[in-house]
Amino acid sequence: MKIFAIETSCDETSAALIEAEKGDKKVKLLSNAVASSLSLHAKTGGIIPEIAAREQVKYIIPTILEALKPIGSLENVDAIAVTYGPGLIGSLLVGVETAKALSYIYKKPIIPVNHLIGHIYANFIENDDIEFPALALVVSGGHTDLVILKKHGEIKWIGGTRDDAAGEAFDKIGRILELPYPGGPHIEARAKEGNLKRFFFPRPLIDSNDFDFSFSGLKTAALREINKLKGQGTLSEKDINDLCAGVQESIIDVLIKKTLKAAEKYKVKSILLSGGVSANQTLREEFKKEIEDTGIKFFAPARNLSTDNAAMIASAAFFNYKEEPWDKIIADPELYFD
Ligand code: KG4
Ligand code: ZN
């Protein structure tokens, strides 16, 4: 079976093709085309929804044609999957309405996919080692959530952020430090040069009895240090590197400790890291180190499949195959875990 997918929930325009047969534990990736309007948003320090959607209108058809190259035409696919939420409404509409039109023209079933569940399923691309029950940590620009997967199609949310998402904390602190947008990868690069011992930032809710997170206090604490340093003169490159090291460590520390606590409580066999922040190499390495003696398997998607892409949407569609009438699918910006 071949599933073609479209993902346009934020600033990426992506189309992808996967192949798998019933009973398979992984999907095979045939193509994954991604066009990003990130460089346009870098100038303004954040995503401007209207610009993102206008770029998606421009790139959706070329991206689809690129992803279809291995099979030539949509006539040769078995189903079309599309992200229908959460996300920016203008962006989602580009993908959803295109997928509906293609489904109607080519008479193919259409499978609407939740973007957050899509991130989790990036882990099932070319990887058949995952064992259930699994615990997924979804860390993206808009979400930080812990969910249990008992098996495919059985997902239970157990906790999430009460304020800023982890990616949002990276991006907001990046902006205060005048680093390019998005802040995450830049903070990671700066942190590699920084002194971890110089700043110790708070770890909110690290010992709380639930699986919730809170990152807005970290932004305030970082701002306080930055203003203090600025009061003493200008912020040096070394100051920025050290601040980034401290901020990143605080975020990583909370994410790992809470995830391991949930893994223990729910007796999971696998931990699946996912979402844009999972591209962070330090986060992956520290997770691997902490998990070493627990007997739990640790997975994170290939780095190019960590940030938004349609391959993960196709993978989620395969393992949670549920078609809907093409004319009933409506973009839902507020969609959350069911
Ligand atoms: O999942 P994603 O591509 O889009 C959303 O669905 O939000 O995630 C984007 C987020 C941004 O906040 C970005 O700063 C963060 O992922 N990110 C990173 C890294 N690469 C991307 N955060 C930390 N370290 C990175 N290397
Ligand atoms: Zn995402």
Side-chain angles (χ1 to χ4, degrees):
M1 147 180 275
K2 289 188 183 67
I3 298 182
F4 184 74
I6 296 174
E7 148 68 42
T8 61
S9 65
C10 193
D11 56 321
E12 269 87 16
T13 307
S14 181
L17 192 61
I18 60 104
E19 185 171 39
E21 299 308 325
K22 209 165 180 245
D24 283 359
K25 291 179 81 183
K26 65 171 182 183
V27 300
K28 190 172 162 215
L29 186 60
L30 300 183
S31 70
N32 184 38
V34 185
S36 174
S37 61
L38 206 58
S39 59
L40 297 176
H41 308 293
K43 292 176 195 149
T44 47
I47 289 165
I48 299 177
E50 185 167 330
I51 293 182
R54 282 172 185 265
E55 291 298 301
Q56 281 158 331
V57 169
K58 263 193 249 169
Y59 287 104
I60 186 81
I61 300 298
T63 306
I64 286 174
L65 295 178
E66 177 67 29
L68 280 175
K69 273 184 181 164
I71 51 161
S73 159
L74 270 174
E75 270 158 28
N76 303 322
V77 308
D78 297 283
I80 298 172
V82 66
T83 305
Y84 76 115
L88 304 169
I89 184 64
S91 294
L92 288 169
L93 284 172
V94 177
V96 169
E97 297 307 307
T98 304
K100 283 157 80 170
L102 293 174
S103 157
Y104 177 72
I105 295 164
Y106 288 92
K107 308 271 176 289
K108 300 291 176 186
I110 184 162
I111 308 162
V113 175
N114 178 320
H115 179 79
L116 301 170
I117 293 174
H119 271 302
I120 297 170
Y121 276 85
N123 284 289
F124 291 85
I125 299 171
E126 309 282 0
N127 170 29
D128 56 7
D129 285 339
I130 295 168
E131 281 184 64
F132 292 117
L135 170 67
L137 171 65
V138 185
V139 267
S140 72
H143 295 88
T144 303
D145 291 291
L146 277 169
V147 296
I148 301 286
L149 275 89
K150 274 199 190 148
K151 56 179 186 179
H152 295 301
E154 233 181 87
I155 288 187
K156 185 179 155 211
W157 179 91
I158 58 165
T161 187
R162 294 183 187 173
D163 40 57
D164 290 353
E168 198 175 352
F170 273 113
D171 297 342
K172 285 182 175 170
I173 294 169
R175 192 177 311 147
I176 300 170
L177 289 169
E178 294 176 24
L179 297 175
Y181 180 84
H186 296 279
I187 290 185
E188 180 178 20
R190 292 300 202 115
K192 285 202 173 87
E193 312 296 322
N195 174 7
L196 254 184
K197 300 217 165 69
R198 182 159 164 214
F199 298 102
F200 185 87
F201 289 110
R203 271 95 165 128
L205 303 182
I206 196 163
D207 293 316
S208 68
N209 278 330
D210 49 30
F211 298 111
D212 286 352
F213 300 91
S214 165
F215 292 107
S216 70
L218 175 61
K219 179 187 60 201
T220 315
L223 184 62
R224 203 176 305 124
E225 286 297 340
I226 292 164
N227 286 340
K228 218 193 295 173
L229 288 165
K230 279 185 177 166
Q232 295 159 8
T234 53
L235 214 55
S236 71
E237 292 301 311
K238 185 177 179 328
D239 291 337
I240 296 175
N241 294 347
D242 295 347
L243 284 162
C244 287
V247 162
Q248 178 174 275
E249 192 60 15
S250 161
I251 295 175
I252 289 179
D253 206 14
V254 180
L255 290 177
I256 293 183
K257 190 147 183 212
K258 282 262 151 123
T259 305
L260 291 185
K261 198 168 145 189
E264 197 180 320
K265 175 168 177 189
Y266 289 92
K267 300 188 173 31
V268 301
K269 294 192 175 138
S270 312
I271 289 178
L272 316 177
L273 188 60
S274 56
V277 179
S278 74
N280 188 291
Q281 202 60 37
T282 320
L283 174 63
R284 290 169 180 235
E285 279 160 19
E286 291 196 18
F287 244 120
K288 273 187 212 148
K289 229 188 294 162
E290 292 295 323
I291 219 167
E292 219 163 37
D293 302 323
T294 62
I296 302 169
K297 292 180 174 183
F298 173 74
F299 301 93
R303 280 184 93 175
N304 65 322
L305 299 175
S306 290
T307 46
D308 293 349
N309 66 85
M312 68 189 196
I313 302 304
S315 173
F318 173 76
F319 289 108
N320 304 274
Y321 196 98
K322 198 167 160 239
E323 45 181 280
E324 301 278 348
W326 71 273
D327 56 339
K328 296 282 183 295
I329 295 167
I330 296 172
D332 182 354
E334 307 297 335
L335 188 68
Y336 199 32
F337 283 106
D338 297 330

